[in-house]
Amino acid sequence: MERLYARASVSISELKKNPSRIIHDAEGNPVAILNHNKPSAYLIPAETFEALMEKIEDYELARLVKERESEPSVPVKLDEL
């Protein structure tokens, strides 16, 4: 079986029956959604998803800065902006 990145898991059939119960029982933790005993999706709280998106954005910005740090710079005075 593949590695699960959640302590709880449910089948797609269980999720269809009562999604509200699955979300409630997860108590804010991720839930692996299984299809034929293989993870097909993860159900995560909105706050967790938003935090992940912010971290990805931060990582991309840091990568861009690192990529551009060897480029020549142009001196600019604050008053000229």
Side-chain angles (χ1 to χ4, degrees):
M1 188 163 151
E2 296 180 39
R3 181 176 179 185
L4 293 181
Y5 294 94
R7 292 187 178 153
S9 63
V10 296
S11 68
I12 289 178
S13 302
E14 289 177 80
L15 181 63
K16 286 180 187 177
K17 288 178 189 174
N18 195 346
S20 296
R21 182 185 59 80
I22 302 299
I23 292 168
H24 177 268
D25 291 352
E27 297 178 340
N29 295 305
V31 177
I33 310 303
L34 306 178
N35 187 16
H36 300 289
N37 290 324
K38 292 185 179 181
S40 62
Y42 286 91
L43 178 63
I44 60 171
E47 289 176 358
T48 303
F49 179 79
E50 291 163 3
L52 283 171
M53 295 308 293
E54 284 184 26
K55 287 190 182 294
I56 290 169
E57 186 178 326
D58 290 349
Y59 172 80
E60 289 296 323
L61 287 172
R63 187 184 58 77
L64 187 60
V65 167
K66 187 83 167 159
E67 200 175 275
R68 293 182 178 178
E69 71 184 356
S70 62
E71 292 179 5
S73 62
V74 178
V76 177
K77 294 180 183 176
L78 190 58
D79 295 334
E80 294 174 355
L81 296 176

